[in-house]
Amino acid sequence: MAFDIEMIKKVYAEMPAKVDAARKTLGRPLTLSEKILFAHVHADYKAASFERGKSYVDFAPDRVAMQDATAQMALLQFMQAGRPKVAVPSTVHCDHLITAKVEAKQDLQVANMESKEVYDFLASVSNKYGIGFWKPGAGIIHQVVLENYAFPGGMMIGTDSHTVNAGGLGMIAIGVGGADACDVMAGLPWELKWPKLIGVKLTGKLNGWTAPKDVILKVAGILTVKGGTGAIVEYFGEGATSMSCTGKGTICNMGAEIGATTSTFGYDASMSRYLKATGREEIATAADAIASYLNADKEVYEDPTQYFDEVIEIDLNQLEPHLNGPFTPDLATPISKMKEAAAANGWPTKIEVGLIGSCTNSSYEDISRAVSLAKQVKAKGLSLKSEFTITPGSEQVRFTVERDGFLDEFNNIGAKVFANACGPCIGMWDRVGAEKKEKNTIVHSFNRNFAKRADGNPNTFAFVGSPELVTALAIAGDLNFNPLTDTLTNDKGEQVKLDAPSGYELPVRGFAVDDPGYQAPAVDGSGVTVAVDPASKRLQILAPFDAWEGTDLKGLKLLIKAKGKCTTDHISMAGPWLKFRGHLDNISNNMLIGAVNFFNEKTDNVKNQLTGEYGPVPATQRAYKAAGVGSIVVGDENYGEGSSREHAAMEPRFLGVRAILVKSFARIHETNLKKQGMLALTFVDKTDYDKILEDDTIDINGLTTFAPGTPLTLTLNHADGSRHVIQVQHTYNQQQIEWFKAGAALNIIRKQVAG
């Protein structure tokens, strides 16, 4: 069915005039990204020549999507806003709290028991405030959104960094923190810095072993984990139009790993086919009527260097399957070079587990292509040399692939099918033996491979590849195996070669499902009661953060100087901590426990300046808070990379950290800090990072005249009585400065509603 069809028709009815006006104002052709952005600029703004990477602009997104782990905090904040109902279509998807351990049915039963309190809370809040609710087992948020809600030319925000997956259906879909989602659900404008534009021209056509995943693995190798920061990546060319809609979704999904604001593709026949296959022919018909507005102007693609800030060209005919990793998603290695790279780096080459699925690669096409390899195992007298798991993306996909016999094929070779949920991709994997922390290698078709991400073992070397390549490597059990050139020894001692994968873009017999797992909200939710037990260990009603005291901040203690990569996984771990995502006090006990202390190279071990003793980061910060002493966290490049989880900003705010000072920020994390009333600061001179000493007491000066574009001054008071004065910069505009003064953006919303 087509949800919110009247809203979509309204967007399409208004889009041509808005785009035409913007084109006239700018006096030039427009990219697709610009068309969608201008079509969603808030009514309070007029189309203008916004400066890329500098102008803050208010937008009016069409919808909001939330997954269960981040929805808890987003909805706890929304409950404070005082609104009776969400202002735009919104959904909650229960996919993060299901631990993969045994198999789908049993794991889902366990989750329903263990997280009943949270699921009941989310269901009741959704029912009360007019939010669509997708039950546990319904599927992973991004696959469910692609199947039901994404539409070409739309704008969506979501409380998960991989919200960008919907770009595969031609949206501008952006990952945000819960406070941003709260704003939009409350009917307020949503602010974004006008993005830069990166164009990726795809020539040729995918063939043989190469898959859409290899496109983004290649791009990640080119741009690195921060190369897309502040930019929208727009894909175009014959290679783009020759690809499936779900393949496009895979590419957009992993755009989060290069820091991109989002990624998108122009509307084409593959999107039309997908809309029709998923019961949304009415949307396809409406999109066909304005197709030129759902693509860039032809002049843009004829001469892309004139319209994009950067252009990358990839010939799909020459593209090779890639494996990216370990420990970072941008370390890209063509499969033909893997044997050499593994030997040079000492990577373990025996593959223990191959895992396919996740929000990145769990479509019908992905599974059908993996099955074409699974069928060859018995046909060619082979056997799996590694454990092998499958995570379907949605109940609709799972039901359909079971009907079509694919799950039987996986079962026949000894594979394990997990629940339609995130599972191992986000650390919700109860992997036997992981606690031993043995050095080992896994390969998966997920999007992230940070240390400890999948199984909690810092010595698990995780490599990212397409589902097809992961399946082949699980059959071989060897990281050195190149299925394009190498043979395997079968049970007769013969040398056999795997045939290249093949599959189906869409199910020949159509999609089918008995119960997709959707619960519609009450028409009138005013009588619905949302109860939270004050003694709950999983949920906690939020108390407002205190407003700024109106003075410069003096006597801040250095809590930690983080060394190297410090992602949101390091700042607020997932895995077993997910159970506390609705309880700010309890989850704050994981604050920065994964960050490496510059001064002793240890994690979760910092000096308490009040006692001189070393201890866990959260306990040390709680001691400062109890003593009424503020603190500061210092970090390295791209601080806050990874997930959109705002807990990484709320935990330090809650425990009394006043400022985060780093060499550079990841986009979503910087915004989350601002929303929560924190100071997000960067070094003017990055070498000043080296001046921060373990026993420093720090003063932040200039806050009484805090203004956009004006640096602040920090005084580093060293233990030996010496001091350094350094300049720090910020990107706060006037509205964001008001968030800081009020103590949090939500405090302003609450006052507006009360007033």
Side-chain angles (χ1 to χ4, degrees):
M1 64 176 286
F3 288 89
D4 310 306
I5 187 64
E6 295 307 316
M7 176 269 285
I8 295 170
K9 286 180 177 178
K10 184 173 185 290
V11 171
Y12 284 177
E14 297 175 355
M15 191 169 187
K18 290 179 178 179
V19 170
D20 290 345
R23 190 189 291 109
K24 184 177 180 180
T25 298
L26 271 63
R28 62 166 175 81
L30 299 178
T31 66
L32 168 65
S33 302
E34 289 173 315
K35 289 182 179 182
I36 301 176
L37 291 171
F38 277 115
H40 290 85
V41 169
H42 195 269
D44 292 345
Y45 274 75
K46 288 185 178 179
S49 298
F50 301 119
E51 192 172 357
R52 294 179 188 177
K54 291 190 177 179
S55 300
Y56 282 99
V57 180
D58 283 352
F59 292 92
D62 300 313
R63 65 177 314 111
V64 173
M66 297 166 280
Q67 41 94 334
D68 50 355
T70 51
Q72 295 171 63
M73 199 59 70
L75 294 177
L76 285 164
Q77 291 176 85
F78 181 75
M79 288 166 64
Q80 285 192 59
R83 306 277 173 152
K85 192 173 183 178
V86 291
V88 301
S90 304
T91 52
V92 168
H93 304 260
C94 295
D95 61 0
H96 270 58
L97 302 178
I98 302 168
T99 301
K101 184 176 183 179
V102 183
E103 55 80 36
K105 187 176 181 180
Q106 188 171 329
D107 292 346
L108 182 58
Q109 288 174 342
V110 171
N112 276 319
M113 289 188 294
E114 288 184 345
S115 295
K116 183 179 186 303
E117 179 185 14
V118 171
Y119 292 147
D120 288 349
F121 167 75
L122 293 173
S124 62
V125 174
S126 297
N127 202 26
K128 182 175 182 64
Y129 294 108
I131 299 168
F133 181 72
W134 290 82
K135 303 172 187 176
I140 307 172
I141 175 174
H142 312 302
Q143 179 68 25
V144 173
V145 165
L146 198 71
E147 291 174 359
N148 295 278
Y149 299 112
F151 66 97
M155 174 181 271
M156 176 177 69
I157 62 171
T159 62
D160 189 286
S161 57
H162 294 105
T163 299
V164 294
N165 187 84
L169 203 37
M171 289 194 93
I172 291 292
I174 300 175
V176 300
D180 279 355
C182 178
D183 283 358
V184 175
M185 290 190 292
L188 300 177
W190 173 65
E191 181 188 76
L192 178 72
K193 191 181 288 184
W194 194 265
K196 296 178 182 179
L197 297 177
I198 298 173
V200 180
K201 182 178 182 179
L202 302 178
T203 62
K205 188 175 182 179
L206 293 170
N207 59 85
W209 283 91
T210 312
K213 184 66 160 274
D214 297 306
V215 175
I216 185 58
L217 294 178
K218 173 77 171 178
V219 170
I222 295 169
L223 289 176
T224 78
V225 290
K226 57 182 290 189
T229 302
I232 293 177
V233 182
E234 185 172 322
Y235 292 85
F236 60 94
E238 60 178 345
T241 54
S242 68
M243 206 179 292
S244 69
C245 176
T246 52
K248 293 178 175 73
T250 291
I251 292 170
C252 293
N253 181 294
M254 257 195 85
E257 273 51 71
I258 57 172
T261 300
T262 192
S263 304
T264 196
F265 286 78
Y267 177 67
D268 63 11
S270 73
M271 295 184 191
S272 177
R273 290 193 298 271
Y274 188 73
L275 286 167
K276 292 171 182 174
T278 51
R280 294 174 287 171
E281 187 166 357
E282 193 172 1
I283 297 174
T285 301
D288 289 340
I290 61 162
S292 65
Y293 290 93
L294 302 176
N295 278 278
D297 291 331
K298 63 181 178 61
E299 296 92 337
V300 171
Y301 294 158
E302 288 171 354
D303 189 9
T305 57
Q306 296 299 309
Y307 303 97
F308 293 99
D309 299 289
E310 181 178 357
V311 177
I312 296 168
E313 186 166 339
I314 298 174
D315 181 357
L316 300 187
N317 292 327
Q318 302 299 318
L319 183 63
E320 190 178 340
H322 277 61
L323 275 180
N324 284 26
F327 305 124
T328 185
D330 61 346
L331 181 55
T333 305
I335 191 64
S336 64
K337 304 291 185 185
M338 179 51 70
K339 185 174 183 178
E340 177 185 331
N345 292 283
W347 297 333
T349 56
K350 181 178 183 294
I351 297 171
E352 302 294 339
V353 191
L355 308 98
I356 66 169
S358 87
C359 67
T360 322
N361 279 110
S362 55
S363 67
Y364 185 90
E365 181 180 41
D366 289 329
I367 294 176
S368 72
R369 284 173 63 84
V371 160
S372 74
L373 293 164
K375 289 178 178 178
Q376 296 181 50
V377 172
K378 289 203 171 180
K380 294 179 183 287
L382 299 168
S383 61
L384 277 179
K385 292 294 191 295
S386 308
E387 288 183 49
F388 189 51
T389 73
I390 299 95
T391 303
S394 69
E395 175 57 16
Q396 178 166 269
V397 166
R398 189 212 64 78
F399 188 95
T400 306
V401 298
E402 181 178 48
R403 178 203 67 189
D404 292 349
F406 295 171
L407 296 190
D408 287 339
E409 295 289 349
F410 285 130
N411 288 330
N412 288 341
I413 63 170
K416 184 182 294 185
V417 179
F418 286 141
N420 314 319
C422 299
C425 183
I426 59 161
M428 294 296 281
W429 181 22
D430 190 354
R431 184 184 178 191
V432 176
E435 73 284 351
K436 297 176 184 176
K437 298 187 177 179
E438 294 174 337
K439 193 174 179 180
N440 77 105
T441 285
I442 65 174
V443 291
H444 61 58
S445 67
F446 308 159
N447 40 47
R448 293 199 172 126
N449 57 350
F450 305 142
K452 302 198 279 189
R453 171 94 179 174
D455 62 2
N457 178 2
N459 298 312
T460 292
F461 289 62
F463 295 85
V464 183
S466 69
E468 301 94 310
L469 187 59
V470 169
T471 304
L473 290 170
I475 294 169
D478 186 354
L479 195 64
N480 292 330
F481 177 66
N482 180 357
L484 283 74
T485 58
D486 298 347
T487 59
L488 296 169
T489 305
N490 69 6
D491 54 12
K492 296 178 182 177
E494 302 165 333
Q495 294 301 300
V496 296
K497 198 165 182 284
L498 292 174
D499 300 326
S502 61
Y504 303 93
E505 176 184 346
L506 295 163
V508 176
R509 296 162 58 195
F511 284 107
V513 65
D514 277 347
D515 177 10
Y518 176 70
Q519 173 187 295
V523 176
D524 179 6
S526 59
V528 178
T529 301
V530 179
V532 175
D533 183 352
S536 172
K537 290 180 168 55
R538 299 287 301 269
L539 297 164
Q540 180 186 50
I541 297 296
L542 293 174
F545 290 134
D546 293 334
W548 172 56
E549 53 270 59
T551 63
D552 288 339
L553 301 179
K554 306 285 188 179
L556 303 180
K557 298 297 184 184
L558 175 68
L559 175 61
I560 186 172
K561 178 177 172 179
K563 180 180 179 181
K565 188 184 280 279
C566 193
T567 71
T568 48
D569 276 31
H570 295 84
I571 305 166
S572 175
M573 287 185 178
W577 289 95
L578 283 174
K579 66 172 70 76
F580 299 124
R581 283 284 180 87
H583 198 294
L584 185 53
D585 193 13
N586 283 344
I587 199 168
S588 292
N589 288 321
N590 79 358
M591 186 190 73
L592 285 159
I593 64 175
V596 175
N597 181 359
F598 178 90
F599 299 106
N600 61 12
E601 301 280 339
K602 296 180 179 179
T603 57
D604 201 23
N605 188 267
V606 295
K607 187 174 184 178
N608 181 334
Q609 291 192 45
L610 303 179
T611 66
E613 297 176 353
Y614 285 82
V617 182
T620 303
Q621 181 55 38
R622 286 184 186 275
Y624 290 150
K625 183 178 182 180
V629 175
S631 66
I632 185 169
V633 169
V634 174
D636 214 317
E637 296 281 9
N638 207 29
Y639 184 88
E641 170 193 343
S643 167
S644 69
R645 68 190 67 150
E646 65 185 337
H647 299 77
M650 295 186 79
E651 291 172 31
R653 179 74 175 97
F654 175 72
L655 291 183
V657 177
R658 302 302 300 270
I660 311 292
L661 170 63
V662 301
K663 293 180 182 177
S664 65
F665 282 106
R667 176 191 64 84
I668 300 177
H669 187 63
E670 182 180 22
T671 300
N672 286 345
L673 290 167
K674 292 177 179 180
K675 283 278 184 176
Q676 300 302 333
M678 291 279 284
L679 284 172
L681 309 173
T682 56
F683 293 99
V684 170
D685 180 352
K686 292 182 180 182
T687 63
D688 285 343
Y689 172 89
D690 301 322
K691 296 174 181 174
I692 308 287
L693 304 181
E694 189 171 29
D695 291 306
D696 279 356
T697 298
I698 299 169
D699 303 328
I700 301 179
N701 306 302
L703 290 175
T704 55
T705 54
F706 194 10
T710 303
L712 299 172
T713 301
L714 263 64
T715 303
L716 311 178
N717 300 293
H718 305 310
D720 64 2
S722 64
R723 63 175 56 182
H724 278 104
V725 177
I726 65 173
Q727 293 282 298
V728 297
Q729 56 196 1
H730 63 85
T731 59
Y732 287 74
N733 60 24
Q734 193 55 51
Q735 176 177 270
Q736 294 166 348
I737 289 172
E738 295 307 315
W739 298 344
F740 167 74
K741 290 179 177 179
L746 187 57
N747 291 348
I748 295 176
I749 296 175
R750 192 184 303 105
K751 286 179 182 176
Q752 290 173 342
V753 174

